[in-house]
Coordinates of all heavy atoms in Angstrom, one line a residue:
M1 N 32.2 2.6 -37.0 CA 31.2 1.9 -36.2 C 31.1 0.4 -36.7 O 31.0 0.2 -37.9 CB 29.9 2.6 -36.2 CG 28.9 2.1 -35.2 SD 27.4 3.2 -35.2 CE 26.1 1.9 -35.1
D2 N 31.0 -0.5 -35.8 CA 30.8 -1.9 -36.1 C 29.4 -2.1 -36.8 O 28.5 -1.5 -36.4 CB 30.8 -2.8 -34.9 CG 32.2 -2.8 -34.3 OD1 33.2 -2.4 -35.0 OD2 32.4 -3.3 -33.2
S3 N 29.4 -3.0 -37.7 CA 28.2 -3.2 -38.4 C 27.7 -4.6 -38.0 O 28.2 -5.6 -38.5 CB 28.4 -3.1 -39.9 OG 27.3 -3.6 -40.6
Y4 N 26.8 -4.7 -37.1 CA 26.2 -6.0 -36.6 C 24.9 -6.3 -37.2 O 24.1 -5.4 -37.4 CB 26.1 -5.9 -35.1 CG 27.4 -6.3 -34.4 CD1 28.4 -5.3 -34.2 CD2 27.6 -7.5 -33.8 CE1 29.6 -5.6 -33.6 CE2 28.8 -7.9 -33.2 CZ 29.8 -6.9 -33.1 OH 30.9 -7.2 -32.4
V5 N 24.7 -7.5 -37.5 CA 23.4 -7.9 -38.1 C 22.8 -9.0 -37.2 O 23.6 -9.7 -36.5 CB 23.5 -8.5 -39.5 CG1 23.9 -7.3 -40.4 CG2 24.5 -9.6 -39.6
E6 N 21.5 -9.1 -37.2 CA 20.9 -10.2 -36.4 C 21.0 -11.5 -37.0 O 20.8 -11.7 -38.2 CB 19.4 -9.8 -36.2 CG 18.7 -10.9 -35.3 CD 17.3 -10.5 -35.0 OE1 17.0 -9.3 -34.7 OE2 16.4 -11.4 -35.1
L7 N 21.5 -12.5 -36.2 CA 21.8 -13.8 -36.7 C 20.6 -14.7 -36.3 O 20.2 -15.6 -37.1 CB 23.1 -14.4 -36.2 CG 23.4 -15.8 -36.6 CD1 23.8 -15.9 -38.0 CD2 24.4 -16.4 -35.6
Y8 N 20.1 -14.6 -35.1 CA 19.3 -15.6 -34.6 C 18.5 -15.1 -33.4 O 19.0 -14.2 -32.7 CB 20.2 -16.8 -34.1 CG 19.5 -18.0 -33.5 CD1 18.6 -18.7 -34.3 CD2 19.7 -18.4 -32.2 CE1 17.9 -19.8 -33.8 CE2 19.0 -19.5 -31.7 CZ 18.2 -20.2 -32.5 OH 17.5 -21.3 -32.0
R9 N 17.3 -15.6 -33.2 CA 16.6 -15.2 -32.0 C 16.4 -16.5 -31.1 O 15.8 -17.5 -31.6 CB 15.2 -14.7 -32.3 CG 15.2 -13.3 -32.8 CD 13.9 -12.8 -33.2 NE 14.0 -11.5 -33.8 CZ 13.3 -10.4 -33.4 NH1 12.4 -10.5 -32.5 NH2 13.5 -9.3 -34.0
A10 N 17.0 -16.5 -30.0 CA 16.9 -17.6 -29.1 C 15.7 -17.5 -28.2 O 15.2 -16.4 -27.9 CB 18.1 -17.7 -28.2
A11 N 15.2 -18.6 -27.8 CA 14.0 -18.6 -26.9 C 14.2 -18.2 -25.5 O 13.4 -17.7 -24.8 CB 13.4 -20.0 -26.9
N12 N 15.5 -18.3 -25.1 CA 15.8 -17.9 -23.7 C 17.3 -17.7 -23.6 O 18.1 -18.0 -24.6 CB 15.3 -19.0 -22.7 CG 15.9 -20.4 -23.0 OD1 17.1 -20.5 -23.2 ND2 15.0 -21.3 -23.2
M13 N 17.8 -17.3 -22.5 CA 19.2 -16.9 -22.3 C 20.1 -18.1 -22.3 O 21.2 -18.1 -22.8 CB 19.3 -16.2 -21.0 CG 20.5 -15.3 -20.8 SD 20.8 -14.3 -22.2 CE 19.6 -13.0 -22.0
I14 N 19.5 -19.3 -21.9 CA 20.4 -20.5 -21.8 C 20.7 -20.9 -23.2 O 21.9 -21.2 -23.6 CB 19.6 -21.6 -21.1 CG1 19.4 -21.2 -19.6 CG2 20.4 -22.9 -21.2 CD1 18.4 -22.1 -18.9
E15 N 19.7 -20.9 -24.1 CA 20.0 -21.3 -25.5 C 20.9 -20.2 -26.1 O 21.8 -20.6 -26.9 CB 18.6 -21.3 -26.2 CG 18.8 -21.9 -27.7 CD 17.6 -21.7 -28.6 OE1 16.6 -21.0 -28.1 OE2 17.7 -22.1 -29.7
A16 N 20.6 -19.0 -25.8 CA 21.5 -17.9 -26.5 C 22.9 -18.1 -26.1 O 23.8 -18.0 -27.0 CB 21.0 -16.6 -26.0
H17 N 23.2 -18.4 -24.9 CA 24.6 -18.6 -24.5 C 25.2 -19.9 -25.0 O 26.4 -19.9 -25.2 CB 24.8 -18.4 -23.0 CG 24.7 -17.0 -22.5 ND1 25.8 -16.2 -22.6 CD2 23.7 -16.2 -22.1 CE1 25.5 -15.0 -22.2 NE2 24.3 -14.9 -21.9
A18 N 24.4 -20.9 -25.2 CA 24.9 -22.1 -25.8 C 25.3 -21.8 -27.3 O 26.4 -22.3 -27.7 CB 23.8 -23.2 -25.8
V19 N 24.5 -21.1 -28.0 CA 24.8 -20.8 -29.4 C 26.0 -19.9 -29.4 O 27.0 -20.1 -30.2 CB 23.6 -20.1 -30.1 CG1 24.0 -19.7 -31.5 CG2 22.5 -21.1 -30.2
K20 N 26.0 -18.9 -28.6 CA 27.2 -17.9 -28.5 C 28.5 -18.7 -28.3 O 29.5 -18.4 -28.9 CB 26.9 -16.9 -27.4 CG 28.0 -15.9 -27.2 CD 27.5 -14.9 -26.1 CE 28.4 -13.7 -26.0 NZ 29.6 -13.9 -25.2
G21 N 28.5 -19.6 -27.3 CA 29.7 -20.3 -27.0 C 30.2 -21.2 -28.2 O 31.3 -21.2 -28.5
Y22 N 29.2 -21.7 -28.9 CA 29.5 -22.6 -30.0 C 30.2 -21.7 -31.1 O 31.2 -22.1 -31.7 CB 28.3 -23.2 -30.6 CG 28.5 -24.1 -31.8 CD1 29.0 -25.4 -31.6 CD2 28.3 -23.7 -33.1 CE1 29.2 -26.3 -32.7 CE2 28.5 -24.5 -34.1 CZ 29.0 -25.8 -33.9 OH 29.2 -26.6 -35.0
L23 N 29.6 -20.5 -31.4 CA 30.1 -19.7 -32.5 C 31.5 -19.1 -32.1 O 32.4 -19.0 -32.9 CB 29.2 -18.5 -32.8 CG 27.9 -19.0 -33.4 CD1 26.9 -17.8 -33.6 CD2 28.1 -19.6 -34.8
E24 N 31.7 -18.8 -30.8 CA 32.9 -18.2 -30.3 C 34.0 -19.2 -30.4 O 35.2 -18.9 -30.6 CB 32.7 -17.6 -29.0 CG 31.9 -16.3 -29.1 CD 31.8 -15.5 -27.9 OE1 32.0 -16.0 -26.8 OE2 31.4 -14.3 -28.0
Q25 N 33.7 -20.5 -30.2 CA 34.7 -21.6 -30.4 C 35.3 -21.5 -31.8 O 36.4 -22.0 -32.0 CB 34.1 -22.9 -30.2 CG 34.0 -23.4 -28.7 CD 33.2 -24.7 -28.6 OE1 33.1 -25.5 -29.6 NE2 32.6 -25.0 -27.5
H26 N 34.4 -21.1 -32.7 CA 34.9 -21.0 -34.1 C 35.3 -19.6 -34.5 O 35.4 -19.3 -35.7 CB 33.7 -21.5 -35.0 CG 33.4 -22.9 -34.9 ND1 32.6 -23.4 -33.9 CD2 33.8 -24.0 -35.5 CE1 32.5 -24.7 -34.0 NE2 33.3 -25.1 -34.9
G27 N 35.6 -18.8 -33.5 CA 36.2 -17.5 -33.8 C 35.3 -16.4 -34.2 O 35.7 -15.4 -34.8
I28 N 34.0 -16.6 -34.0 CA 33.0 -15.5 -34.4 C 32.5 -14.8 -33.1 O 32.0 -15.5 -32.2 CB 31.9 -16.2 -35.2 CG1 32.4 -16.6 -36.5 CG2 30.8 -15.1 -35.4 CD1 31.4 -17.3 -37.4
L29 N 32.7 -13.5 -33.1 CA 32.3 -12.7 -32.0 C 30.8 -12.5 -32.0 O 30.2 -12.2 -33.1 CB 33.0 -11.4 -32.1 CG 33.6 -10.9 -30.8 CD1 34.9 -11.7 -30.5 CD2 34.0 -9.4 -30.9
V30 N 30.2 -12.7 -30.9 CA 28.7 -12.7 -30.8 C 28.3 -11.7 -29.8 O 28.9 -11.6 -28.7 CB 28.1 -14.1 -30.5 CG1 26.6 -14.0 -30.4 CG2 28.5 -15.1 -31.5
R31 N 27.3 -10.9 -30.1 CA 26.7 -10.0 -29.1 C 25.3 -10.5 -28.8 O 24.6 -10.9 -29.7 CB 26.5 -8.6 -29.7 CG 27.7 -7.7 -29.6 CD 27.3 -6.3 -30.0 NE 28.5 -5.4 -30.1 CZ 28.4 -4.2 -30.5 NH1 27.3 -3.7 -30.9 NH2 29.5 -3.4 -30.5
V32 N 25.0 -10.5 -27.5 CA 23.7 -11.0 -27.0 C 22.9 -9.8 -26.6 O 23.4 -9.0 -25.7 CB 23.9 -12.0 -25.9 CG1 22.5 -12.4 -25.4 CG2 24.7 -13.2 -26.4
L33 N 21.8 -9.6 -27.2 CA 20.9 -8.6 -26.8 C 19.7 -9.1 -26.1 O 19.1 -10.1 -26.5 CB 20.4 -7.8 -28.0 CG 21.4 -6.9 -28.7 CD1 20.6 -6.1 -29.8 CD2 22.1 -6.0 -27.8
G34 N 19.3 -8.5 -25.0 CA 18.1 -8.9 -24.3 C 18.3 -9.2 -22.8 O 17.4 -9.2 -22.1
E35 N 19.6 -9.3 -22.4 CA 19.8 -9.6 -21.0 C 19.9 -8.3 -20.2 O 19.7 -8.4 -19.0 CB 21.0 -10.5 -20.8 CG 22.3 -9.9 -21.5 CD 23.4 -11.0 -21.5 OE1 23.3 -11.9 -20.7 OE2 24.3 -10.9 -22.3
A36 N 20.2 -7.2 -20.9 CA 20.5 -6.0 -20.1 C 19.4 -5.0 -20.2 O 19.5 -3.8 -20.0 CB 21.8 -5.4 -20.6
L37 N 18.2 -5.5 -20.5 CA 17.1 -4.6 -20.6 C 16.6 -4.2 -19.3 O 16.4 -5.0 -18.4 CB 15.9 -5.3 -21.3 CG 16.1 -5.7 -22.8 CD1 15.0 -6.5 -23.3 CD2 16.3 -4.4 -23.6
G38 N 16.4 -2.9 -19.1 CA 15.9 -2.4 -17.9 C 14.6 -1.6 -18.1 O 14.1 -1.6 -19.2
G39 N 14.1 -1.0 -17.1 CA 13.0 -0.1 -17.2 C 11.8 -0.8 -17.8 O 11.3 -1.8 -17.3
A40 N 11.3 -0.2 -18.9 CA 10.0 -0.6 -19.5 C 10.0 -2.1 -19.8 O 8.9 -2.7 -19.7 CB 9.8 0.1 -20.8
A41 N 11.1 -2.7 -20.1 CA 11.1 -4.1 -20.5 C 10.7 -5.0 -19.3 O 10.4 -6.2 -19.5 CB 12.5 -4.5 -21.1
G42 N 10.9 -4.5 -18.1 CA 10.5 -5.2 -16.9 C 9.1 -5.7 -16.9 O 8.8 -6.6 -16.1
E43 N 8.3 -5.0 -17.7 CA 6.8 -5.4 -17.7 C 6.6 -6.8 -18.4 O 5.6 -7.4 -18.2 CB 6.0 -4.4 -18.4 CG 6.1 -3.0 -17.8 CD 5.7 -1.9 -18.8 OE1 5.1 -2.2 -19.8 OE2 6.0 -0.7 -18.5
L44 N 7.5 -7.1 -19.2 CA 7.3 -8.3 -20.0 C 7.6 -9.6 -19.1 O 8.5 -9.6 -18.4 CB 8.3 -8.4 -21.2 CG 8.2 -7.3 -22.2 CD1 9.4 -7.3 -23.2 CD2 6.9 -7.5 -23.0
P45 N 6.7 -10.5 -19.3 CA 7.0 -11.8 -18.6 C 8.2 -12.4 -19.1 O 8.5 -12.4 -20.3 CB 5.7 -12.7 -18.9 CG 5.1 -12.0 -20.0 CD 5.5 -10.6 -20.0
V46 N 9.0 -13.0 -18.2 CA 10.3 -13.6 -18.6 C 10.2 -14.6 -19.7 O 11.0 -14.7 -20.5 CB 10.9 -14.2 -17.3 CG1 12.2 -14.9 -17.7 CG2 11.2 -13.2 -16.3
E47 N 9.1 -15.4 -19.6 CA 9.0 -16.5 -20.6 C 8.9 -16.0 -22.0 O 9.3 -16.7 -22.9 CB 7.7 -17.4 -20.3 CG 7.7 -17.9 -18.9 CD 7.1 -16.9 -17.9 OE1 6.0 -16.4 -18.2 OE2 7.8 -16.7 -16.9
S48 N 8.4 -14.8 -22.2 CA 8.2 -14.4 -23.6 C 9.3 -13.5 -24.0 O 9.3 -13.0 -25.1 CB 6.9 -13.5 -23.6 OG 7.2 -12.2 -23.1
Q49 N 10.4 -13.4 -23.2 CA 11.5 -12.6 -23.6 C 12.3 -13.3 -24.7 O 12.8 -14.5 -24.4 CB 12.3 -12.3 -22.4 CG 13.4 -11.3 -22.7 CD 14.3 -11.1 -21.5 OE1 14.1 -11.7 -20.5 NE2 15.4 -10.3 -21.7
E50 N 12.5 -12.7 -25.8 CA 13.4 -13.2 -26.8 C 14.8 -12.7 -26.6 O 15.0 -11.5 -26.2 CB 12.9 -12.9 -28.2 CG 11.8 -13.8 -28.6 CD 11.5 -13.7 -30.1 OE1 11.8 -12.6 -30.6 OE2 11.0 -14.6 -30.7
V51 N 15.8 -13.5 -26.9 CA 17.2 -13.0 -26.8 C 17.7 -13.0 -28.3 O 17.6 -14.0 -29.0 CB 18.0 -14.0 -26.0 CG1 19.4 -13.4 -25.7 CG2 17.3 -14.2 -24.7
R52 N 18.3 -11.9 -28.6 CA 18.8 -11.8 -30.0 C 20.3 -11.9 -30.0 O 21.0 -11.3 -29.2 CB 18.3 -10.4 -30.6 CG 16.8 -10.3 -30.6 CD 16.4 -9.2 -31.6 NE 17.0 -7.9 -31.2 CZ 17.2 -6.9 -32.1 NH1 17.0 -7.1 -33.3 NH2 17.7 -5.8 -31.6
L53 N 20.8 -12.7 -31.0 CA 22.2 -12.8 -31.2 C 22.6 -12.0 -32.4 O 22.0 -12.2 -33.5 CB 22.5 -14.3 -31.4 CG 22.9 -15.1 -30.1 CD1 21.6 -15.2 -29.2 CD2 23.4 -16.4 -30.4
L54 N 23.6 -11.2 -32.3 CA 24.1 -10.4 -33.4 C 25.5 -10.8 -33.7 O 26.3 -11.1 -32.8 CB 24.1 -8.9 -33.0 CG 22.8 -8.3 -32.5 CD1 23.0 -6.8 -32.3 CD2 21.6 -8.6 -33.4
V55 N 25.9 -10.8 -35.0 CA 27.2 -11.0 -35.4 C 27.7 -9.9 -36.3 O 26.8 -9.2 -36.9 CB 27.4 -12.4 -36.1 CG1 27.1 -13.5 -35.1 CG2 26.6 -12.5 -37.3
E56 N 28.9 -9.7 -36.5 CA 29.4 -8.8 -37.4 C 29.0 -9.2 -38.9 O 29.0 -10.4 -39.2 CB 31.0 -8.7 -37.4 CG 31.5 -7.9 -36.2 CD 33.0 -7.9 -36.2 OE1 33.5 -7.1 -37.0 OE2 33.6 -8.6 -35.5
R57 N 28.7 -8.2 -39.7 CA 28.2 -8.5 -41.0 C 29.1 -9.3 -41.8 O 28.7 -10.2 -42.5 CB 27.9 -7.1 -41.7 CG 27.2 -7.3 -43.0 CD 26.9 -6.0 -43.7 NE 26.0 -5.1 -43.0 CZ 24.7 -5.3 -43.0 NH1 24.1 -6.2 -43.8 NH2 23.9 -4.5 -42.3
R58 N 30.4 -9.1 -41.7 CA 31.4 -9.8 -42.5 C 31.4 -11.3 -42.1 O 31.9 -12.1 -42.8 CB 32.8 -9.2 -42.4 CG 33.4 -9.2 -41.0 CD 34.5 -8.2 -40.9 NE 34.9 -8.1 -39.5 CZ 35.9 -8.7 -38.9 NH1 36.7 -9.6 -39.6 NH2 36.2 -8.5 -37.7
H59 N 30.9 -11.6 -40.9 CA 30.9 -13.0 -40.4 C 29.5 -13.7 -40.6 O 29.3 -14.8 -40.2 CB 31.2 -13.1 -38.9 CG 32.7 -12.9 -38.7 ND1 33.1 -12.3 -37.5 CD2 33.8 -13.1 -39.4 CE1 34.4 -12.2 -37.5 NE2 34.8 -12.7 -38.7
Q60 N 28.6 -13.0 -41.2 CA 27.2 -13.4 -41.2 C 27.0 -14.8 -41.9 O 26.4 -15.7 -41.3 CB 26.3 -12.4 -41.9 CG 24.8 -12.8 -41.8 CD 23.9 -11.8 -42.4 OE1 24.3 -10.9 -43.2 NE2 22.6 -11.8 -42.0
S61 N 27.6 -15.0 -43.1 CA 27.3 -16.2 -43.8 C 28.0 -17.4 -43.1 O 27.5 -18.5 -43.0 CB 27.7 -16.1 -45.3 OG 29.1 -15.8 -45.4
E62 N 29.2 -17.1 -42.6 CA 29.9 -18.2 -41.9 C 29.2 -18.6 -40.6 O 29.0 -19.7 -40.3 CB 31.3 -17.6 -41.6 CG 32.3 -18.7 -41.1 CD 33.6 -18.1 -40.5 OE1 33.8 -16.9 -40.7 OE2 34.3 -18.9 -39.9
A63 N 28.7 -17.6 -39.9 CA 27.9 -17.8 -38.7 C 26.7 -18.6 -39.0 O 26.3 -19.5 -38.2 CB 27.6 -16.5 -38.0
L64 N 26.0 -18.3 -40.1 CA 24.8 -19.0 -40.4 C 25.1 -20.5 -40.7 O 24.3 -21.4 -40.3 CB 24.1 -18.4 -41.7 CG 23.2 -17.2 -41.4 CD1 22.7 -16.6 -42.7 CD2 21.9 -17.7 -40.6
T65 N 26.2 -20.7 -41.4 CA 26.6 -22.1 -41.7 C 26.8 -22.9 -40.4 O 26.4 -24.0 -40.2 CB 27.8 -22.1 -42.6 OG1 27.5 -21.4 -43.7 CG2 28.2 -23.5 -43.0
L66 N 27.5 -22.2 -39.5 CA 27.8 -22.8 -38.2 C 26.6 -23.1 -37.4 O 26.4 -24.1 -36.8 CB 28.8 -21.9 -37.4 CG 30.2 -21.9 -37.9 CD1 31.0 -20.8 -37.2 CD2 30.9 -23.3 -37.6
L67 N 25.7 -22.1 -37.5 CA 24.4 -22.2 -36.7 C 23.6 -23.4 -37.2 O 23.1 -24.2 -36.4 CB 23.6 -20.9 -36.9 CG 22.3 -20.9 -36.1 CD1 22.5 -20.9 -34.6 CD2 21.6 -19.6 -36.5
Q68 N 23.6 -23.6 -38.5 CA 22.9 -24.8 -39.1 C 23.5 -26.1 -38.6 O 22.8 -27.0 -38.3 CB 22.8 -24.7 -40.6 CG 21.8 -23.7 -41.1 CD 21.9 -23.4 -42.6 OE1 22.8 -23.9 -43.2 NE2 21.1 -22.5 -43.1
R69 N 24.8 -26.1 -38.6 CA 25.5 -27.3 -38.2 C 25.2 -27.6 -36.7 O 25.0 -28.7 -36.3 CB 27.0 -27.1 -38.4 CG 27.8 -28.4 -38.4 CD 29.3 -28.2 -38.5 NE 29.6 -27.4 -39.7 CZ 30.8 -26.9 -39.8 NH1 31.7 -26.9 -38.8 NH2 31.1 -26.2 -40.9
Y70 N 25.2 -26.5 -35.9 CA 24.9 -26.6 -34.5 C 23.5 -27.2 -34.3 O 23.3 -28.1 -33.5 CB 25.1 -25.3 -33.9 CG 24.7 -25.2 -32.4 CD1 25.5 -25.6 -31.4 CD2 23.4 -24.7 -32.1 CE1 25.2 -25.5 -30.1 CE2 23.0 -24.6 -30.8 CZ 23.9 -25.0 -29.8 OH 23.5 -25.0 -28.5
Q71 N 22.6 -26.7 -35.1 CA 21.2 -27.2 -34.9 C 21.0 -28.6 -35.3 O 20.3 -29.4 -34.8 CB 20.2 -26.3 -35.6 CG 20.1 -24.9 -34.9 CD 19.3 -23.9 -35.7 OE1 19.3 -23.9 -36.9 NE2 18.6 -23.0 -35.0
Q72 N 21.8 -29.0 -36.4 CA 21.7 -30.4 -36.8 C 22.3 -31.3 -35.8 O 21.8 -32.4 -35.5 CB 22.5 -30.6 -38.1 CG 21.7 -30.2 -39.3 CD 22.5 -30.1 -40.6 OE1 23.7 -30.5 -40.6 NE2 21.9 -29.6 -41.6
E73 N 23.4 -30.9 -35.2 CA 24.0 -31.7 -34.1 C 23.1 -31.9 -32.9 O 23.1 -32.9 -32.3 CB 25.3 -31.1 -33.6 CG 26.4 -31.3 -34.6 CD 27.7 -30.5 -34.2 OE1 27.8 -30.1 -33.1 OE2 28.6 -30.4 -35.0
L74 N 22.3 -30.9 -32.7 CA 21.4 -30.9 -31.5 C 20.1 -31.5 -31.8 O 19.4 -31.9 -30.8 CB 21.2 -29.5 -31.0 CG 22.2 -28.9 -30.1 CD1 21.6 -27.6 -29.5 CD2 22.6 -29.8 -29.0
A75 N 19.7 -31.7 -33.0 CA 18.3 -32.1 -33.4 C 18.1 -33.5 -32.8 O 18.9 -34.4 -33.1 CB 18.1 -32.1 -34.9
P76 N 17.1 -33.7 -32.0 CA 16.9 -35.1 -31.5 C 16.3 -36.0 -32.6 O 15.7 -35.5 -33.5 CB 15.8 -34.8 -30.4 CG 15.2 -33.5 -30.8 CD 16.2 -32.7 -31.5
W77 N 16.6 -37.2 -32.4 CA 16.1 -38.2 -33.4 C 15.4 -39.3 -32.6 O 15.7 -39.6 -31.5 CB 17.2 -38.7 -34.3 CG 18.4 -39.3 -33.6 CD1 19.4 -38.6 -33.1 CD2 18.6 -40.7 -33.3 NE1 20.3 -39.4 -32.5 CE2 19.9 -40.7 -32.6 CE3 18.0 -41.9 -33.5 CZ2 20.4 -41.9 -32.2 CZ3 18.5 -43.1 -33.1 CH2 19.7 -43.1 -32.5
Q78 N 14.4 -40.0 -33.3 CA 13.7 -41.0 -32.6 C 14.2 -42.4 -33.1 O 14.3 -42.6 -34.4 CB 12.2 -40.9 -32.9 CG 11.4 -41.9 -32.1 CD 9.9 -41.6 -32.3 OE1 9.4 -41.0 -33.3 NE2 9.1 -41.9 -31.3
C79 N 14.4 -43.3 -32.2 CA 14.9 -44.6 -32.6 C 13.8 -45.4 -33.2 O 12.7 -45.5 -32.7 CB 15.4 -45.3 -31.3 SG 15.9 -47.0 -31.7
A80 N 14.1 -46.0 -34.4 CA 13.0 -46.7 -35.2 C 12.8 -48.1 -34.5 O 11.7 -48.7 -34.6 CB 13.5 -46.9 -36.6
A81 N 13.8 -48.6 -33.8 CA 13.7 -49.9 -33.1 C 12.8 -49.9 -31.9 O 12.0 -50.7 -31.7 CB 15.0 -50.4 -32.9
C82 N 13.1 -48.9 -31.0 CA 12.4 -48.9 -29.7 C 11.6 -47.6 -29.5 O 10.9 -47.5 -28.5 CB 13.4 -49.1 -28.6 SG 14.4 -47.6 -28.2
G83 N 11.7 -46.6 -30.3 CA 10.9 -45.4 -30.2 C 11.4 -44.4 -29.3 O 10.8 -43.4 -29.0
E84 N 12.6 -44.6 -28.7 CA 13.2 -43.7 -27.8 C 13.6 -42.4 -28.5 O 14.1 -42.5 -29.6 CB 14.4 -44.4 -27.1 CG 14.9 -43.6 -25.9 CD 13.9 -43.5 -24.8 OE1 13.3 -44.4 -24.4 OE2 13.8 -42.3 -24.3
Q85 N 13.5 -41.3 -27.8 CA 14.0 -40.0 -28.3 C 15.5 -39.9 -27.9 O 15.8 -40.1 -26.7 CB 13.2 -38.9 -27.7 CG 11.9 -38.6 -28.3 CD 12.0 -37.9 -29.6 OE1 12.9 -37.2 -29.9 NE2 11.0 -38.1 -30.5
N86 N 16.3 -39.6 -28.8 CA 17.8 -39.5 -28.5 C 18.2 -38.1 -28.8 O 17.8 -37.5 -29.8 CB 18.6 -40.5 -29.4 CG 18.4 -41.9 -28.9 OD1 19.0 -42.3 -28.0 ND2 17.5 -42.6 -29.6
D87 N 19.1 -37.6 -28.0 CA 19.7 -36.3 -28.3 C 20.6 -36.4 -29.6 O 21.1 -37.5 -29.9 CB 20.6 -35.8 -27.1 CG 19.8 -35.3 -26.0 OD1 18.6 -35.1 -26.1 OD2 20.4 -35.1 -24.9
G88 N 20.8 -35.3 -30.3 CA 21.4 -35.3 -31.5 C 22.9 -35.8 -31.5 O 23.4 -36.3 -32.4
H89 N 23.5 -35.7 -30.3 CA 24.9 -36.1 -30.3 C 25.1 -37.6 -30.0 O 26.2 -38.0 -30.0 CB 25.7 -35.2 -29.2 CG 25.1 -35.3 -27.8 ND1 25.5 -36.3 -27.0 CD2 24.2 -34.6 -27.2 CE1 24.8 -36.2 -25.8 NE2 24.0 -35.1 -25.9
F90 N 24.0 -38.3 -29.8 CA 24.1 -39.7 -29.7 C 24.2 -40.3 -31.1 O 23.3 -40.1 -31.9 CB 22.9 -40.4 -29.0 CG 22.9 -40.1 -27.5 CD1 21.9 -39.4 -26.9 CD2 24.0 -40.5 -26.7 CE1 21.9 -39.1 -25.5 CE2 24.0 -40.3 -25.3 CZ 23.0 -39.6 -24.8
E91 N 25.2 -41.2 -31.4 CA 25.3 -41.8 -32.7 C 24.5 -43.1 -32.8 O 24.1 -43.5 -33.9 CB 26.8 -42.0 -33.0 CG 27.4 -40.7 -33.3 CD 28.9 -40.9 -33.6 OE1 29.4 -42.0 -33.7 OE2 29.6 -39.8 -33.7
V92 N 24.3 -43.7 -31.7 CA 23.4 -44.9 -31.6 C 22.4 -44.6 -30.5 O 22.6 -43.8 -29.6 CB 24.1 -46.2 -31.4 CG1 25.1 -46.5 -32.5 CG2 24.9 -46.2 -30.1
C93 N 21.3 -45.3 -30.5 CA 20.3 -45.2 -29.5 C 20.8 -45.5 -28.1 O 21.5 -46.6 -27.9 CB 19.1 -46.1 -29.8 SG 17.8 -46.1 -28.5
W94 N 20.6 -44.6 -27.2 CA 21.2 -44.9 -25.9 C 20.5 -46.0 -25.2 O 21.1 -46.6 -24.2 CB 21.2 -43.6 -25.0 CG 19.8 -43.2 -24.6 CD1 19.0 -42.3 -25.3 CD2 19.0 -43.6 -23.5 NE1 17.8 -42.1 -24.7 CE2 17.8 -42.9 -23.6 CE3 19.3 -44.4 -22.4 CZ2 16.8 -43.1 -22.6 CZ3 18.3 -44.6 -21.5 CH2 17.1 -43.9 -21.6
R95 N 19.3 -46.3 -25.6 CA 18.6 -47.4 -24.9 C 18.8 -48.8 -25.5 O 19.0 -49.7 -24.7 CB 17.1 -47.0 -25.0 CG 16.2 -47.8 -24.1 CD 14.8 -47.3 -24.3 NE 13.9 -47.8 -23.2 CZ 12.6 -47.6 -23.2 NH1 12.0 -46.9 -24.2 NH2 11.9 -48.0 -22.2
C96 N 18.7 -48.9 -26.8 CA 18.9 -50.3 -27.4 C 20.1 -50.4 -28.3 O 20.4 -51.5 -28.7 CB 17.6 -50.6 -28.1 SG 17.4 -49.7 -29.7
G97 N 20.8 -49.3 -28.6 CA 22.0 -49.4 -29.3 C 21.8 -49.4 -30.9 O 22.8 -49.6 -31.6
A98 N 20.6 -49.3 -31.3 CA 20.3 -49.3 -32.8 C 20.8 -48.0 -33.4 O 20.8 -46.9 -32.7 CB 18.8 -49.4 -33.0
E99 N 21.2 -48.0 -34.7 CA 21.6 -46.8 -35.3 C 20.4 -46.1 -35.9 O 19.4 -46.7 -36.3 CB 22.6 -47.1 -36.5 CG 23.9 -47.6 -35.9 CD 24.9 -47.9 -37.0 OE1 24.7 -47.4 -38.1 OE2 25.9 -48.6 -36.7
P100 N 20.4 -44.8 -36.0 CA 19.3 -44.0 -36.6 C 19.2 -44.3 -38.1 O 20.2 -44.6 -38.8 CB 19.7 -42.6 -36.4 CG 21.1 -42.6 -36.2 CD 21.5 -43.9 -35.6
E101 N 17.9 -44.3 -38.6 CA 17.7 -44.5 -40.0 C 18.0 -43.2 -40.7 O 17.6 -42.1 -40.2 CB 16.3 -45.0 -40.3 CG 16.0 -46.4 -39.8 CD 14.6 -46.9 -40.1 OE1 13.8 -46.0 -40.4 OE2 14.4 -48.1 -40.0
A102 N 18.7 -43.2 -41.8 CA 19.1 -42.0 -42.5 C 17.9 -41.2 -43.0 O 16.9 -41.8 -43.3 CB 20.1 -42.3 -43.6
Ligands
LIG201 ZN1 16.4 -47.7 -29.5

């Protein structure tokens, strides 16, 4: 039997699938729990539904490293020059072209 461990809890299905796609690009198989809940789970409001991502135990540390890198890439940063919020994948401010302060 496969030994899966919980890697991450996503706030919603969109985030879960974004993370899953990222990990799978790096060769890590991901199981998503939370989308196929039936019956009793239907009472829960959709907004409060957490989605759990599981990976095989042997991939856990690698997956955690990738997850941290993914979150760093996504982390928004604020431009010191003009105050604009930039998505993590922008290397310079999209508004004024300034570089982020380290
Ligand atoms: Zn700026």
Side-chain angles (χ1 to χ4, degrees):
M1 190 175 139
D2 291 344
S3 170
Y4 276 79
V5 293
E6 183 175 312
L7 176 74
Y8 182 62
R9 285 181 185 226
N12 55 55
M13 200 49 75
I14 295 166
E15 187 194 4
H17 280 280
V19 174
K20 179 177 191 278
Y22 182 81
L23 291 174
E24 288 184 344
Q25 275 175 24
H26 292 85
I28 292 177
L29 229 70
V30 179
R31 277 189 184 175
V32 176
L33 290 187
E35 56 191 337
L37 293 174
E43 300 159 15
L44 295 170
V46 175
E47 303 84 52
S48 75
Q49 188 185 357
E50 280 191 335
V51 188
R52 300 197 301 150
L53 271 66
L54 309 185
V55 297
E56 286 181 76
R57 188 179 293 279
R58 64 197 169 98
H59 287 149
Q60 185 178 20
S61 60
E62 191 188 352
L64 273 174
T65 304
L66 285 167
L67 182 64
Q68 280 168 3
R69 196 184 305 163
Y70 174 80
Q71 288 173 328
Q72 278 168 10
E73 284 175 12
L74 274 192
W77 54 276
Q78 187 173 28
C79 177
C82 74
E84 189 62 46
Q85 283 281 334
N86 289 280
D87 285 350
H89 59 86
F90 288 119
E91 288 178 8
V92 298
C93 177
W94 67 268
R95 192 176 195 187
C96 73
E99 292 185 16
E101 293 184 342

